[in-house]
Amino acid sequence: MGGHRENDETAGGDAALLRAVAAGDGSALAVLYDRHAGWLHARLTRRCADPEVVREVLQDTFVTVWRSAAGHRGQEAGGWLWTIAARRLVDARRVQERAARVESLPGPGVAPSAEDRVLVGLEYGDVGTALDRISPELREVLRATVVDGLSTREAARLLGIPEGTVKSRALRARAELRSALAQLNPSPLGGPA
């Protein structure tokens, strides 16, 4: 993972630590934090200039690890941790952008712009609902490639899967998203009724 290398001993140790965290061992989480927080902080800082946001994202990352260590599928721990941290950073940016949009909205009695209505519709409307209906592995590929704007190669590294898998999941994700949207809104788009 971009500058962070684990030797086999550390990687094996990380897997054991994650199993211990899944069993509720707080000291294992502390060791995992000590091993990985430094490089995670450095990578997050390269992507976000706000040190408070970086600290919150790092904390949220390890809270997520505490809650979901049982779901770790044995892939390289550093990649898994970075996937969580990158998603938390995207979430934090969305919150900031949403707050900025709310602050910039016209006052009472003035209609929001068409752009604001579209953004709210995408986030809370049918597309958001449809995204929730597709399988998690397909949704994470869409997040990486569309929302995060990563290339196929970058998404493959982030998700710990081959590039070909990213491409095939992206195709399946788009098809499932279209199907989910069609179920939510059965009327054909742009076609005769």
Side-chain angles (χ1 to χ4, degrees):
M1 290 296 321
H4 173 70
R5 303 276 182 235
E6 293 181 341
N7 62 32
D8 291 336
E9 183 179 307
T10 303
D14 286 345
L17 286 171
L18 285 166
R19 286 190 299 275
V21 170
D25 184 347
S27 63
L29 182 65
V31 172
L32 198 65
Y33 181 91
D34 289 343
R35 261 187 207 175
H36 295 282
W39 70 266
L40 282 169
H41 186 275
R43 286 190 75 180
L44 290 166
T45 300
R46 285 194 298 260
R47 288 162 176 75
C48 178
D50 186 339
E52 184 60 32
V53 171
V54 170
R55 278 191 297 274
E56 287 177 17
V57 167
L58 192 59
Q59 179 180 352
D60 287 349
T61 298
F62 282 94
V63 167
T64 301
V65 168
W66 176 254
R67 292 180 179 156
S68 62
H72 180 256
R73 295 179 301 232
Q75 70 268 37
E76 189 259 331
W80 186 66
L81 289 167
W82 176 244
T83 299
I84 294 168
R87 287 182 184 158
R88 294 300 165 261
L89 183 58
V90 169
D91 291 344
R93 286 183 176 158
R94 283 185 189 143
V95 168
Q96 287 176 326
E97 290 169 6
R98 198 174 304 131
R101 279 197 310 266
V102 168
E103 289 175 9
S104 68
L105 286 176
V110 180
S113 70
E115 181 183 350
D116 289 329
R117 289 194 307 269
V118 168
L119 290 172
V120 167
L122 283 175
E123 191 166 344
Y124 300 108
D126 288 347
V127 173
T129 302
L131 279 170
D132 288 340
R133 291 184 177 183
I134 68 174
S135 62
E137 68 272 2
L138 299 182
R139 186 171 45 243
E140 74 182 4
V141 167
L142 278 182
R143 277 189 184 145
T145 57
V146 177
V147 178
D148 298 345
L150 300 177
S151 69
T152 300
R153 176 172 288 165
E154 292 167 330
R157 283 188 194 137
L158 177 69
L159 300 172
I161 58 177
E163 288 181 43
T165 304
V166 170
K167 290 176 183 178
S168 64
R169 284 184 184 177
L171 284 172
R172 283 191 8 240
R174 288 183 184 103
E176 282 192 23
L177 188 60
R178 277 192 296 275
S179 175
L181 282 168
Q183 290 173 0
L184 291 170
N185 188 4
S187 64
L189 297 175

